[in-house]
Structure formats: C-alpha cells, structure tokens
Amino acid sequence: MKLKKLQASFGGLQNETLVLEDGLNILQAPNEGGKSTWSAFLRAMLYGIRNDRSKQGYIAEKIRYQPWSGAAMEGVLELTWQGKNITLRRGPKRNSPFGNFEAVYTGTGEPVPGLTGENCGEVLTGVPREVFERSAFLGQGRAAIDSSPALEARVAALVSSGDEDVSFSQVERCLKDWRNRRQHNHTGLIPKLEGELTALDEVLSRQAKAHRLAQEAQRERDRLQAEYKRLEGERDAYLSRAQAERRRRYDAALAAQREAQEQVDRLEAELNRHGAPPSRETLAQAQEALSKFNGLNSSRQLAQRQAEEAAREAQAVRQAAGDGAFSGMEPEEAVQQARLDAEEARQDPKPAYWALGALAAGVLLLLLPLVLTDWPALVWPCRIAGGVCVLGAWAALLLSLRRQRAARERTAQLLAQYGAETPDDILSLAEAYRQSAQSIRQARRRQEDAEAALAGLAEEQEAHRARLLELVHTFAPAASNVFGASAAISRTLGLLEKRAHARVQLEGANQLVDNLPRPLEGLEPITGAEPRFSPEETAARLDAAQDELQRLGQALATAQGERNSLGDPDQLNRRREELVEELSRRREEYAALSAALEGLDEARAELQARFSPALNRRAGELLGALTGGRYAQVTLTRQFEALAQEAGALTPRQALSLSQGTADQLYLAVRLAVCELALPQGSAVPLVLDDALANFDDERCALALKVLGELSTQRQVLLFTCHSREAALWAAAAKGKAE
C-alpha cells in the first residue's frame, strides 16, 4: 500500500493538502505546525475516530481534532492498494464525526467492494488498529512498544496456525472469571457449598461423638472385666521377663566389646599402611599453613565481592542521579524549585468566620417579628434585613469553601508531582538529589580501592599456596594442589581422632562387661503379656475397676439419649453425600480451570520463545546499523521491555540505563523489527514516524536516515520532523552516492 495525497479539515488543518511520494518522505514543519495532526489524521482515515470520552490528562479524539474553524471534520485519502488507485472519504454523520465513509476507485467513482468504515484500516493494512499503532505508527513520544490483545494474537498467528481471533490475555481473563465464579472469597459456589457442608458436618460430628462415647463406654466396660485376668498373667511373667532382660543386656555388652576391639585394630592398620603417621607438630604446622591460605582465600572472595558491590553501587548511584522529579536540573536549581513548590503547597486560606456571625444575625432578624407583635411596622423591615444578611453570609461561606478546595487541590497536585506525602518531603527529595553528585564520586573511589586490595590479596595467596605444598609433601608427597593437601591433612587427623575415640569406646565396653551380673543358667522363660505395674499396684487397680464400671453405665445412657435427639442420621448422611458430590464437581472444575490457565501460560511462553529469536535478531541488526555497530544485540522481554547489549559486553542493559538518544535508537530498532515481522508480508504498509529522531544527534540522525532509506525501498516511509537537518543530511547522503 502506498499513500499519494491527503486532504484534511482536521484540528488545526484547514482544508490543507499533503502530497506524498514513493520511498522516504521527509516532511518538515515547525512545532505546532500540524505534524502530529497529520499523523492522527492518517490513522483516523484508516481506522476512524475512537468512540471514547475525555478524562483527566486525556482529551477524546472527537474533541481534540475538531476543526478550529468550527467546520465539519472531514478528509480525503488517495492511495494505491493491490495495484489499484483508491480514494477514501470520511465526513460527519449526524453526531458522529467521521461516521460517514466512502471508498471508491479513483477516476471511476465505483465503490470498492468489502471496504467499510469499520474494517477499512484492517483490510488495507492487514492488521487491527492496536497492531498498527504498535508497529508501523510511531506517534510523538511513543517510541517504546507495549503489548495488547491484538498484538498478542498477531504474534501467535505468526508462529502457529495463523488464527488471530483470540489473544492470550483475552482467554486468560475469561478463564479467571469462570474460576472466580466457583471460588472467590465468600461469594463463589465452592465457599457456599463448604459452609453448608461445615454446618452439616457439625451436626453429624455431634451424633458421631455421642455414638462414639457410647461405644467407648461399652468397650471400656468389657476391657475392665478382662483386666483382672491380664494382671494375674503379668504377675507370673514378671520374674521370667526380668531374667531375660538381664541376659539380653549381657550379650549386647559382649557384642559391643568385640566391635570396639575390631574398630581399634582396623584404625591402627589404616594409620600404619604407609609407615608411621606424622607427628602432631607436623600436622599442626600444616593446618596453620592451610588456615592462612583459606583465610586469604576468604579475604580475596570478600575483596572480590566488595569490588563487585562497589561497581554495582557506582552504577546504581549513576542511574539514580538521572531519575526523579528533578531529572536534568542542577542541584541548586532543584533545591530552589522545591522550596517554591513546598511554600505553595503549604498555603491554606482561612475560612470566613465573620460570615457565620452574619448568618446568625440574619436568623435573629428573621425571628424578631415573632417577639415584636406590638410594633407591626417593624416586621417587614426586620424580615428584609434578615434575608439580606442570610443570603450574603451564605454566599461568603460558599466563596470561602471554594477557595479552600482550590488550595487543597493545588497542594495535592504538587505532592503527586513529586510523589511526596508532605511539603517537607519535597525539600527532602531536593536535598537527596543534591547529595547524589557527591555520592557518585565517593562510589567511584570505593570501587578503585576495592580493586587494588583484590590484586594484592591474590599475590599474597599464591605465596602461601607454595609454602603449604612444601610442608605437606613431607607426609603426603602425592598432593599436587591445595585441595589435595587439605584432604591429606583432614584424612590423617580424622584417623587419629577416630582411633582415640575407638580406644575410649573399647575401654568403656570392657568396664561394662566386668560390672554386669552374669545371667543364671537353666531357667525357662515364661511367655505372656509385658508387666505394666508392680504387684501392689495391681491389687489397688482391681478395686478401682468396680467404681469405673458404674460410671461408664451412666455415661452410656446419656450418650444414647443425645444421639436420638439430633435427628435421623440416614437423612443427614444422604444430604452430606449430595453436598460432597457437588463440591467435588465444583472443585474439579476449579482445578481444570487452574490447569487450563497453567497450560495457557506455558503455551504463551513457548510461542514467545519461538517468536522472540527472530524479532531479537532483526532488532539487533537494525540497532547495529543505527548505532554504527556499537550495540548489536537486542532482547525483548515478555512484557515488551527492550534491553540492548553493547558489542563485547557480557550483559545487556535496560533502556533506563541508556542515554535518551540511545534509548530512542533501541526502541526505533524494535519498532522497525516488529513492523517487518508483525505486519503482512504481501502488502508493505507505510511507516509513519512523528518526530521519532528528535533526541538524535547529527551522527545518530544520519545513521537513522540511512536505515530508513534502505527500508523505503520496501515500503513507503513518512518522517515528520521540526528540524531542517533531516532533509539536509538526506540530501548530502544522496549527493555522496551520486558522486
């Protein structure tokens, strides 16, 4: 598609005409000269005027672009599409600006089939408004790109089946609404079912408790009846079990003695495998050398972290110095501005208290005729004077309240501008901004000191490593590095420690065998229950069992009566089964929706992984051309945040850490890459740039014009600018090629 001529009665454009050529069109006009208006007019001719409303900080398009002359909003656009010349006309229709639409073949007046006011832009460009605005249309101050459902759908279509009907965000929002209807605080279906089930479970729990108490009472009575016989068996088994325990302990002591002796012998053999073990003095010297080396290693790591931390701190201070409400100001200028705004924020007009007195006087004058019944001549004068006082006081009160409201709104506006809570916070922000310059210098000095300390520690650590290996080779000649020396020291010390510990265990095992009484021979063990009590305590427990049986009989009768008073258990259980079944179904639906959301997120991540390499590769190529090769790699995140990596650097940088000109180069490269990849390949949609090179210096501007010139061989490019340098640089470049 190629644009040929635009005629507009649109905003500040009064029946003006703009004629375009193929390739790169550099359209120069001063500020307030209609550049942004022409851009908005082109978008409105393709996609129509948005049907939105004005709000704070935003003016609706139908109001913003109403012709200044008071005439009707209308326009004509002549273009070439699919080899045919087409004329588009839009004008007013009742109360709808640009509501009347006409698309005809130029010269014949025959209507173009299929083109309507609603689908015109999408049919001609191949993409909806949201995709066009985020790819081929770079409005003033809108170089950065963000996501939208339409752009998501277009991206998904490029890497999948080509279906652009539904975006990820739309499907995600729908699934979340369905899931919230099933469980959302106390209003979802699941919480309601859970509440009813909880109440029913409470009744069933009371029934189950009464039934359980009855069963427990019955079981306890049966248990007590068998308790006496069990206690007799325990008494007979007591002596036999005690003798068996004595034998078990003695046999365990003998086994521990044998195991301790075997451990001592094994460690002795291990220590003497390569000759006599090193002396304690030699091991102490080796440990001391190793500790010094490790201490230096820790100090070196600490110095490394300090150097890295100092570098990060310096970078953070430099980044922080360019942000905030005072960005671009000198420190003293920022402080002076903050003082003025803080003083204005503190202003608070006093209410008109005198008006309250006048209001009270007027009320008294209105009530006075009720008392002066003997002077009828004073009635009407009092009423007139009272009414005048009341009305005047009321008007004064309203005026005072209006002044107070205006002062508070201005105060809130100033605090919001600085992100402050009180006027004093504005002064604090200015003071912090003034101190940031000094912080940058201090951070740089700390970074240099940390790097010098790191180099010194590395040299000292190498010297200690050589001394450590020389010492360890006296008892471990195979050790070739610090790790091997440490292992040899640890192994020898560990074996010595284990041998000492094993000898202590052997000595203890010998003493235990000598002190334990030997078990008697010839006694047969008696099988039975493990004794729980002494013989004296068993007799006392038999007497207490009779009293407990009487108490259990009374508890059994009480539990049965409470169970019968709570209702039919079968009906309650049937209702509970219904609730459990419905709750299970709703939870399965909730789980299925949650799984669908997880799968949707995984699919989005996969599509992003498939689309991002091509987009990042093309954006990197364009950024390299725009920066003269200084930056050659671009990474676009899932949230469409762009990061640039300098040639030879290890990590990419965020746009906030770049200069304004470099950041605009980065986003221009991303925009051009999205334009190439997201727009249809069969019909080259024109590229519209409104002051996109405003923050470029002459060198950057020349590189950008070269890139745009190359792109203009594939698609028409409209570059609106308020400077004359673009045209001069383009002419110079063309002259250089000709020569």
Side-chain angles (χ1 to χ4, degrees), residues 37-252:
T37 306
W38 276 118
S39 300
F41 171 75
L42 174 59
R43 182 180 59 196
M45 287 299 297
L46 292 174
Y47 294 97
I49 295 291
R50 281 194 178 94
N51 186 20
D52 52 5
R53 296 182 179 181
S54 298
K55 54 186 177 181
Q56 185 175 5
Y58 173 77
I59 302 176
E61 288 187 352
K62 62 182 178 182
I63 298 176
R64 180 178 181 181
Y65 297 114
Q66 180 66 34
W68 296 356
S69 63
M73 185 187 299
E74 56 187 359
V76 178
L77 173 60
E78 296 182 10
L79 55 89
T80 301
W81 181 62
Q82 295 183 351
K84 298 179 180 179
N85 296 326
I86 297 176
T87 299
L88 305 179
R89 296 186 180 92
R90 287 187 185 267
K93 184 177 182 181
R94 293 189 292 274
N95 295 329
S96 176
F98 270 25
N100 186 29
F101 175 81
E102 180 183 16
V104 299
Y105 291 111
T106 304
T108 64
E110 292 294 327
V112 179
L115 279 185
T116 65
E118 291 75 19
N119 70 1
C120 173
E122 188 165 356
V123 170
L124 294 177
T125 65
V127 292
R129 177 196 291 263
E130 290 81 1
V131 178
F132 177 72
E133 290 178 340
R134 287 164 173 81
S135 56
F137 188 86
L138 280 74
Q140 187 174 11
R142 294 294 303 277
I145 186 172
D146 55 2
S147 181
S148 72
L151 186 58
E152 290 178 1
R154 180 64 184 169
V155 170
L158 291 172
V159 294
S160 59
S161 62
D163 183 10
E164 300 183 34
D165 292 339
V166 182
S167 73
F168 284 106
S169 58
Q170 291 172 327
V171 175
E172 183 180 37
R173 184 165 52 251
C174 181
L175 290 176
K176 285 183 177 179
D177 291 341
W178 289 350
R179 188 174 66 173
N180 288 338
R181 282 199 293 270
R182 282 150 181 82
Q183 182 165 357
H184 183 268
N185 295 335
H186 301 291
T187 60
L189 297 174
I190 293 178
K192 291 180 180 178
L193 291 172
E194 289 176 343
E196 184 178 353
L197 183 61
T198 299
L200 187 59
D201 283 340
E202 184 178 355
V203 175
L204 289 172
S205 176
R206 292 175 59 190
Q207 277 192 340
K209 181 179 179 181
H211 180 68
R212 186 175 63 255
L213 289 175
Q215 289 182 332
E216 289 176 355
Q218 184 64 42
R219 286 195 299 269
E220 184 66 15
R221 186 165 59 179
D222 295 340
R223 186 191 66 80
L224 287 176
Q225 289 175 352
E227 181 71 7
Y228 185 78
K229 293 183 178 180
R230 181 178 179 183
L231 289 174
E232 285 185 335
E234 292 176 357
R235 182 189 59 191
D236 295 337
Y238 191 87
L239 291 176
S240 178
R241 298 291 176 85
Q243 181 63 24
E245 177 64 18
R246 177 185 294 181
R247 176 173 293 278
R248 186 192 65 78
R249 292 176 61 190
Y250 188 79
D251 293 342

Side-chain angles (χ1 to χ4, degrees), residues 531-594:
R532 297 168 297 168
F533 316 106
S534 65
E536 294 80 7
E537 188 176 356
T538 301
R541 288 180 175 273
L542 286 174
D543 294 337
Q546 185 65 33
D547 297 337
E548 184 66 14
L549 285 173
Q550 294 179 359
R551 187 192 66 78
L552 289 174
Q554 295 175 355
L556 179 61
T558 302
Q560 290 176 344
E562 183 178 2
R563 180 187 177 191
N564 294 333
S565 65
L566 292 175
D568 187 359
D570 294 336
Q571 293 181 356
L572 295 175
N573 282 313
R574 282 195 296 272
R575 176 54 184 162
R576 187 183 186 283
E577 291 176 358
E578 295 174 357
L579 289 175
V580 169
E581 182 179 357
E582 184 176 359
L583 182 60
S584 177
R585 180 168 58 86
R586 295 300 184 184
R587 285 173 174 169
E588 289 177 357
E589 293 174 354
Y590 182 85
L593 291 171
S594 299

Side-chain angles (χ1 to χ4, degrees), residues 332-386:
E332 295 302 327
E333 180 185 359
V335 172
Q336 182 64 27
Q337 182 65 37
R339 289 173 180 171
L340 295 176
D341 291 341
E343 182 64 26
E344 184 177 359
R346 291 192 183 98
Q347 295 180 0
D348 187 10
K350 302 297 182 181
Y353 295 109
W354 63 267
L356 297 176
L359 180 62
V363 173
L364 290 175
L365 288 174
L366 290 175
L367 297 176
L368 189 61
L370 300 178
V371 181
L372 301 176
T373 56
D374 295 335
W375 291 281
L378 298 176
V379 171
W380 281 106
C382 289
R383 290 179 177 176
I384 293 173

